[in-house]
């Protein structure tokens, strides 16, 4: 069910060093505009990233925890279902900048937990 999870940071280098030590492996670092990601790979695919995204409102470390992405059967339909069931749209459907990685949206569930939804289209 989990497609991907992201750990927000406002101190990228410090966080990357921490998670490399914690995971015991080198993380693959990428940059897209002002967004920086250090990815933990499994079977050639990223399953987790430590991310810095200064231009995304509200994106940063918090006591609320990490951002988990759930695999959507149909991203557009699942976002609509979430909103119809009292979720709030935090980030609308957005194309991931890496070719072939699909799309994501972020919602806040009825009690305020942020959840990412991930889909191929």
């Amino acid at each position: 069910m989990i497609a991907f999870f992201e750990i927000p940071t406002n101190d990228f280098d410090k966080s990357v060093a921490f998670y490399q030590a914690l995971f015991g492996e080198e993380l693959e670092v990428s940059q897209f505009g002002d967004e920086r990601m250090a990815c933990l790979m499994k079977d050639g695919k990223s399953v987790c990233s430590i991310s810095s995204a200064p231009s995304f409102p509200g994106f940063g470390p918090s006591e609320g925890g990490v951002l988990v992405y759930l695999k959507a059967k149909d991203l557009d339909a699942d976002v609509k279902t979430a909103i119809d069931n009292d979720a709030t749209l935090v980030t609308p459907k957005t194309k991931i900048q890496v070719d072939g990685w699909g799309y994501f949206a972020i919602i806040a569930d009825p009690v305020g937990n942020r959840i990412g939804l991930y889909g191929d289209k």
Side-chain angles (χ1 to χ4, degrees):
M1 181 66 116
I2 294 175
F4 179 78
F5 70 96
E6 191 165 25
I7 302 171
T9 182
N10 54 12
D11 188 335
F12 186 77
D13 295 330
K14 183 177 184 177
S15 293
V16 170
F18 170 79
Y19 284 102
Q20 285 182 150
L22 182 65
F23 296 142
E25 60 186 89
E26 200 73 21
L27 301 178
E28 186 174 308
V29 176
S30 302
Q31 183 155 356
F32 309 98
D34 70 346
E35 182 178 3
R36 294 172 72 193
M37 300 174 79
C39 296
L40 178 63
M41 308 298 284
K42 180 178 180 183
D43 299 328
K45 292 195 172 201
S46 176
V47 294
C48 165
S49 78
I50 289 67
S51 301
S52 171
S55 64
F56 280 38
F59 186 88
S62 71
E63 292 179 10
V66 301
L67 181 58
V68 175
Y69 288 77
L70 303 176
K71 179 87 169 141
K73 292 179 184 172
D74 177 325
L75 185 56
D76 293 318
D78 289 353
V79 167
K80 182 180 181 332
T81 297
I83 291 169
D84 289 348
N85 286 277
D86 298 325
T88 303
L89 184 62
V90 175
T91 302
K93 181 179 175 181
T94 303
K95 184 176 184 342
I96 297 170
Q97 296 176 358
V98 178
D99 287 340
W101 280 28
Y103 297 80
F104 75 95
I106 300 172
I107 56 138
D109 70 13
V111 297
N113 293 306
R114 292 180 317 135
I115 301 292
L117 300 173
Y118 168 81
D120 297 327
K121 32 185 165 162

